[in-house]
């Protein structure tokens, strides 16, 4: 566990980075290391849920912080309960994830949050600052990949398939380890396939009789508001109908998969990429065109900030956490594929933890332990 | 000689079957006083038997009170103990499955993908988490996570878990199932891809004690020899058959022609004295070991080549050149 080893180098790098970021207007704040687990679980990021370091005290489920964003947004909502204000916050400290198998529990992370600003400029500010930090630290081996979750989601929605299936296909598109056969099996499970239908037929007499009874019971007894397991008759039937609807949409799934395959292979160097990207977006699609335009603006902004364009790679389906990013996402990687910085826009986040309004938010995290070996 | 404490389940579904199994292996356990929690194993005098609750067996083994124990694979996996080594995980009894089961009325839920979606619905539409009743919190948590279910509350319960969804303190359950009858009676159905552990009885040991003490290891070897031999023996029958032929090698050839009747090494053939017939043929008795599942095919083949008066008796033990389970244990304890 690298963090526990005494390293003056690391301390000095952290100090330098903190200073640079503070000079750029970010205020260094602390967040509690121990928080109610719900705060992090609520964040739709299911990848976290798997590895969250949780424990129980006095009946409450607690967790060691896996990141700073959840606490930051919570604090922001406490400070600005009604309307948004622009805030630049900086966090620095260890974060925890439970990878018991690898014996890895804590990492050092420096996080930036730019809250209350929805413009492409705010995105360029964050990404530009990350690039500036690379130069400042003397790291030469790096490039930036920039994607767009908002645009990806929007293009997917135009296929008109149900939201959950969309989400699942999107998650699977970034998981290259899965074979087509596995994907098809999953899609089968999402729909009502022959095996289920035959249950209602005669294939298995007892099963089908039972099914029929339950069906009749559910339709006949209008009074019955709740059945076992905390779901009402209506909820069950609604979801059953949704599954049937999906079964009818099954043909469209393949179109979506084909689109996602092409979309996730797209990877081009900066501005030139937009001409090609435009082919994916219908001219009459205002939302899509708007996304593209803002995205392009953001990249121009980066250029003006002196980020070398040859280090900027446009990769629309860049897979970060699909569950909570809403717009531009980015990663700075080394040529050897190590992730040094990652971040993006997550305007829904405040709603995810219970707010009744959007809080425009863009942020990043520096992965200090990955950065260290690349320093001169 | 170092005495070796063997912990056995005192009650529960695998308590009686364990004693029956040991008896079948020639390792009968005697319990001098039914009210006491100790017993002896006359066939292996170095063994002391200690009766414990199924769950406690492995704790006694882990802390070294008992050096060996028999319990369910499900509890060993659920309450993983650092110093416990699984010596034999295929004792062929005490079968059960730890499964995810949902109310029968959930006609829209057939698999774990459905359940994952329902968990999301709970969260988004009911603003609460799916409640899962179980006595296996660790394995359940892990399993649900790997199936993309992250928003759930585990309700720890002791016994009568099947009733939880009806009573209303949980939505679904994760429980041990042997035949599925209890589930059906409580209007629950198991999910086909919701099997978390396929369990049966297993023999466990204290890793440190086994690695350090040759005497404890030797007692373990004796037990494994008996267990392996009995488990092997179960699958085979011994047959004797009388066949008439020119001489032993003529008959041997015919019998060995079919792999089914060749026996483990080859047929044993003995002449029946004074059985010479007029045309100079002679009767022989052949003894072979045949897999139970091929018994009838073997009988039919032997008839074809002139066999008659066949007897079949069960094989109680088959000792091979050494106990395969003990070889595996040695490899696990001493990797070099």
């Amino acid at each position: 566990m690298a963090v526990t080893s005494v390293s003056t180098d690391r301390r000095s790098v952290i100090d330098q980075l903190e200073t640079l970021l503070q000079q750029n207007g970010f205020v260094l704040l602390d967040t509690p290391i121990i928080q109610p687990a719900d705060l992090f679980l609520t964040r739709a990021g299911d990848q976290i849920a798997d590895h969250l370091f949780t424990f129980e005290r006095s009946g409450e489920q607690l967790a060691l912080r896996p990141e700073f964003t959840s606490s930051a947004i919570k604090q922001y909502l406490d400070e600005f309960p009604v309307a948004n204000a622009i805030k630049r916050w900086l966090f620095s400290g260890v974060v925890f994830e439970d990878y018991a198998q690898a014996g890895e529990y804590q990492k050092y992370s420096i996080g930036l949050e730019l809250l209350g600003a929805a413009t492409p400029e705010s995105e360029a500010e964050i990404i530009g600052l990350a690039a500036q930090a690379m130069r400042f630290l003397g790291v030469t081996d790096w490039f930036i990949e920039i994607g767009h979750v908002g645009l990806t989601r929007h293009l997917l929605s135009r296929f008109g398939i149900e939201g959950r299936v969309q989400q699942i296909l999107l998650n699977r598109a970034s998981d290259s380890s899965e074979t087509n056969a596995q994907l098809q099996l999953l899609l089968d499970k999402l729909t009502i396939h022959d095996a289920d239908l035959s249950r209602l037929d005669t294939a298995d007499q007892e099963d089908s009789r039972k099914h029929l009874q339950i069906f009749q019971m559910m339709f006949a007894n209008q009074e019955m508001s709740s059945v076992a397991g905390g779901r009402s008759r209506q909820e069950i039937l609604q979801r059953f109908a949704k599954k049937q609807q999906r079964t009818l949409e099954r043909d469209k799934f393949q179109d979506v998969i084909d689109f996602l395959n092409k979309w996730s292979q797209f990877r081009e160097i900066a501005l030139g990429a937009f001409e090609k990207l435009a082919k994916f977006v219908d001219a009459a699609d205002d939302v899509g065109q708007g996304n593209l335009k803002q995205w392009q603006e953001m990249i121009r902004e980066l250029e003006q900030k002196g980020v070398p364009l040859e280090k900027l790679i446009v990769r629309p389906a860049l897979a970060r956490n699909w569950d909570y990013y809403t717009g531009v996402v980015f990663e700075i990687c080394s040529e050897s594929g190590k992730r040094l910085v990652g971040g993006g826009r997550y305007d829904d986040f405040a709603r995810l933890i219970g707010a009744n309004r959007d809080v425009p938010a863009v942020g990043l995290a520096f992965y200090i332990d990955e950065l260290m070996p690349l320093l001169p | 000689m170092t005495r070796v404490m063997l912990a056995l389940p005192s009650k529960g579904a695998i308590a009686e079957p364990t004693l029956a199994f040991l008896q079948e292996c020639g390792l009968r356990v005697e319990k001098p006083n039914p009210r006491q929690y100790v017993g002896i194993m006359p066939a292996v005098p170095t063994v002391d038997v200690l009766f414990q609750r199924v769950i406690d067996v492995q704790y006694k083994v882990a802390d070294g009170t008992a050096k060996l124990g028999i319990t369910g694979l499900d509890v060993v996996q659920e309450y993983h103990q650092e110093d416990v080594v699984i010596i034999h995980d295929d004792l062929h009894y005490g079968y059960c499955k730890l499964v995810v089961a949902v109310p029968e009325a959930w006609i829209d839920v057939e698999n774990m993908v459905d359940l994952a979606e329902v968990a999301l619905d709970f969260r988004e539409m009911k603003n609460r988490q799916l409640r899962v009743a179980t006595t296996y919190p660790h394995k359940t948590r892990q399993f649900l996570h790997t199936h993309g279910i992250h928003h759930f509350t585990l309700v720890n319960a002791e016994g009568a878990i099947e009733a939880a969804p009806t009573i209303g303190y949980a939505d679904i359950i994760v429980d041990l199932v042997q035949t599925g009858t209890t589930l059906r009676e409580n209007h629950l159905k198991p999910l086909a891809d919701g099997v978390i552990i396929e369990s049966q009885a297993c023999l466990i040991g204290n890793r440190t004690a086994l690695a350090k003490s040759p005497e404890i290891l030797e007692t373990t070897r004796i037990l494994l020899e008996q267990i392996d031999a009995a488990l092997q023996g179960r699958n085979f029958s011994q047959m004797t058959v009388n066949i008439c032929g020119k001489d032993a090698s003529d008959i041997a050839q015919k019998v060995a022609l079919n792999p089914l009747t060749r026996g483990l090494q080859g047929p044993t053939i003995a002449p029946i004295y004074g059985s010479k017939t007029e045309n100079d043929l002679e009767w022989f008795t052949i003894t072979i070991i045949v897999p139970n599942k091929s018994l009838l095919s073997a009988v039919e083949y032997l008839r074809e080549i002139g066999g008659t008066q066949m007897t079949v008796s069960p094989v109680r033990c088959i000792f091979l050149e050494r106990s395969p389970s003990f070889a595996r244990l040695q490899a696990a304890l001493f990797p070099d």
Side-chain angles (χ1 to χ4, degrees), chain A residues 134 138-143 311 332-337 340 374:
Chain A
M134 293 300 114
V139 180
T140 50
D141 170 16
W142 61 275
F143 61 91
K311 283 194 181 287
I332 296 188
C333 298
S334 68
E335 292 296 342
S336 62
L340 312 176
L374 296 175

Side-chain angles (χ1 to χ4, degrees), chain B:
Chain B
M1 193 74 187
T2 312
R3 308 203 54 80
V4 178
M5 180 87 80
L6 168 68
L8 298 181
S10 55
K11 47 187 150 189
I14 66 165
E16 282 304 315
T18 297
L19 295 180
F21 170 75
L22 288 173
Q23 172 139 26
E24 188 198 326
C25 296
L27 301 168
R28 189 172 49 83
V29 172
E30 268 179 23
K31 199 175 175 183
N33 180 342
R35 274 185 292 278
Q36 278 180 356
Y37 290 97
V38 291
I40 53 165
M41 188 178 273
V44 191
T46 49
V47 167
D48 292 319
V49 174
L50 175 71
F51 289 95
Q52 290 287 307
R53 292 194 315 156
V54 177
I55 287 188
D56 292 336
V57 165
Q58 60 173 330
Y59 290 127
K60 290 289 174 223
V61 173
D63 70 18
T65 312
K67 309 299 181 222
L68 300 171
I70 292 183
T71 182
L73 198 57
D74 53 321
V75 277
V76 175
Q77 292 190 355
E78 175 65 19
Y79 305 100
H80 173 77
Q81 299 289 310
E82 209 55 57
D83 213 21
V84 166
V85 59
I86 297 176
I87 299 173
H88 201 308
D89 65 358
D90 200 14
L91 297 182
H92 283 88
Y93 72 95
Y95 287 104
C96 58
K97 289 177 185 173
L98 185 64
V99 298
V100 180
V102 306
E104 260 172 7
W106 292 16
I107 50 169
D108 58 325
V109 178
E110 297 283 340
N111 54 55
M112 291 302 292
V113 178
D114 282 329
L115 189 61
E117 197 172 15
V118 168
L120 282 176
D121 284 346
F122 265 82
R123 196 177 142 64
E124 286 169 12
M125 303 188 327
K126 293 175 176 292
N127 223 352
R128 73 167 175 87
Q129 302 203 336
L130 182 73
R131 296 163 308 165
V132 187
T134 186
T135 43
Y136 294 79
H138 303 115
K139 281 284 152 195
T140 299
R141 191 186 302 278
Q142 229 175 39
F143 187 77
L144 292 180
H145 278 320
T146 53
H147 283 81
I149 303 175
H150 301 296
H151 303 289
F152 57 87
T153 309
L154 292 181
V155 182
N156 286 320
E158 294 283 336
I161 287 176
E162 313 81 30
T166 315
I167 297 170
Y169 68 86
D171 304 306
I172 66 167
I173 69 163
V174 170
D175 202 11
L176 280 186
V177 173
Q178 275 161 331
T179 57
T181 315
T182 317
L183 283 188
R184 275 194 297 278
E185 281 170 356
N186 285 280
H187 304 292
L188 297 169
K189 59 175 179 185
L191 299 183
D193 54 355
V195 179
I196 302 177
I197 303 172
E198 301 225 33
S199 175
Q200 54 169 303
C202 65
L203 176 67
I204 56 175
N206 181 290
R207 184 186 293 273
T208 314
L210 288 167
K212 282 204 181 131
S213 162
E215 287 180 325
I216 294 176
L217 198 60
E218 176 58 15
T219 300
T220 308
R221 187 186 69 79
I222 294 170
L223 295 181
L224 282 177
E225 287 281 6
Q226 293 289 129
I227 290 173
D228 277 354
L231 286 176
Q232 269 299 333
R234 267 186 198 177
N235 302 324
F236 292 91
S237 296
Q238 177 171 300
M239 281 186 85
T240 66
V241 50
N242 293 339
I243 299 186
C244 186
K246 231 175 36 235
D247 53 33
S249 70
D250 168 48
I251 287 170
Q253 223 174 18
K254 282 186 192 156
V255 172
L257 212 56
N258 188 332
L260 273 185
T261 51
R262 273 184 54 197
L264 292 178
Q265 288 287 344
T268 310
I269 299 180
I272 301 174
Y273 284 94
S275 68
K276 270 223 163 73
T277 58
E278 294 148 12
N279 33 16
D280 218 23
L281 295 177
E282 199 180 351
W283 283 89
F284 293 87
T285 295
I286 295 143
T287 308
I288 51 172
I289 301 290
V290 183
N292 292 333
K293 57 174 197 263
S294 322
L295 200 55
L296 201 61
S297 318
V299 167
E300 274 158 9
Y301 177 72
L302 290 169
R303 275 186 189 143
E304 261 174 49
I305 58 170
T308 179
Q309 296 151 351
M310 288 172 258
T311 71
V312 175
S313 28
V315 172
R316 209 168 68 76
C317 295
I318 296 181
F319 289 95
L320 301 172
E321 59 271 33
R322 60 179 182 157
S323 150
S325 302
F326 185 68
R328 274 196 300 277
L329 174 63
Q330 278 182 310
L333 291 176
F334 314 106
D336 309 325

